[in-house]
Amino acid sequence: RDGPRPGPGAGETETGRGRRYTGDKLTGDRLMAKVLLVEDNHMNSRLTEFVLERDGFTVVTSPNAEEAIEAARRDKPDLILMDIQLPGMDGLKATRILKQDERTTDVPIVAITAHAMGGDEERIMAAGCEGYISKPVNTWQLAETVKKYIRS
């Protein structure tokens, strides 16, 4: 208490809340997990990224399905949040590709959609998503929702 607090050690990153990440665990009560966020709307992407990082997640972003597929193969995320309506290839087609790839088949994918109407849930689940989050995203519940899909 008397004197400066030591800085992060090897493999640690200081957080804004006075906690430190070590390896892939957060010392304290939260799991540090890597989330791949696939969202073409820049403002939605920045807000979601900010909220997830604030709550202790590492976030990799991608603005389209093609880049997301490569990022998922390269970065091995713990969870993918996939916008359904993307330019070029849509999110459901990207989900089917990722679920057929042995490198990414076990990564949970959660759809993010503004179009959660009758029949959409069935299409989303049939493509291989574990669930979906409706837009606008509830920023107060996002971290708990993400943790639920990572742990299941």
Side-chain angles (χ1 to χ4, degrees):
R1 290 188 180 208
D2 299 317
R5 197 168 131 207
E12 296 181 332
T13 304
E14 190 73 36
T15 72
R17 296 185 176 188
R19 297 174 186 239
R20 292 190 182 148
Y21 298 122
T22 306
D24 45 32
K25 293 285 183 191
L26 178 61
T27 57
D29 60 350
R30 292 182 292 177
L31 172 70
M32 181 181 163
K34 185 184 299 179
V35 176
L36 172 58
L37 172 62
V38 188
E39 172 63 70
D40 63 316
N41 180 291
H42 180 71
M43 293 303 291
N44 289 346
S45 180
R46 293 294 301 143
L47 175 62
T48 306
E49 179 182 13
F50 172 80
V51 169
L52 290 171
E53 287 179 344
R54 173 199 70 193
D55 290 331
F57 296 93
T58 299
V59 181
V60 177
T61 62
S62 179
N64 61 59
E66 294 83 4
E67 288 183 28
I69 292 167
E70 292 306 312
R73 290 171 176 160
R74 178 187 65 239
D75 297 326
K76 307 288 191 260
D78 298 296
L79 177 75
I80 299 171
L81 294 176
M82 179 76 72
D83 187 12
I84 297 305
Q85 291 195 323
L86 295 167
M89 183 190 309
D90 71 38
L92 295 181
K93 182 172 183 182
T95 296
R96 287 189 286 275
I97 290 169
L98 290 167
K99 289 300 181 177
Q100 292 171 1
D101 187 325
E102 66 184 32
R103 295 169 288 182
T104 55
T105 192
D106 293 331
V107 178
I109 301 176
V110 177
I112 301 178
T113 181
H115 303 287
M117 297 192 280
D120 287 341
E121 183 174 1
E122 291 80 20
R123 285 185 329 112
I124 289 167
M125 302 306 260
C129 292
E130 277 69 22
Y132 71 93
I133 298 170
S134 295
K135 290 180 183 178
V137 172
N138 182 331
T139 58
W140 297 106
Q141 295 178 346
L142 183 59
E144 288 306 314
T145 301
V146 166
K147 286 179 199 174
K148 177 180 80 169
Y149 287 108
I150 291 172
R151 290 185 179 141
S152 58

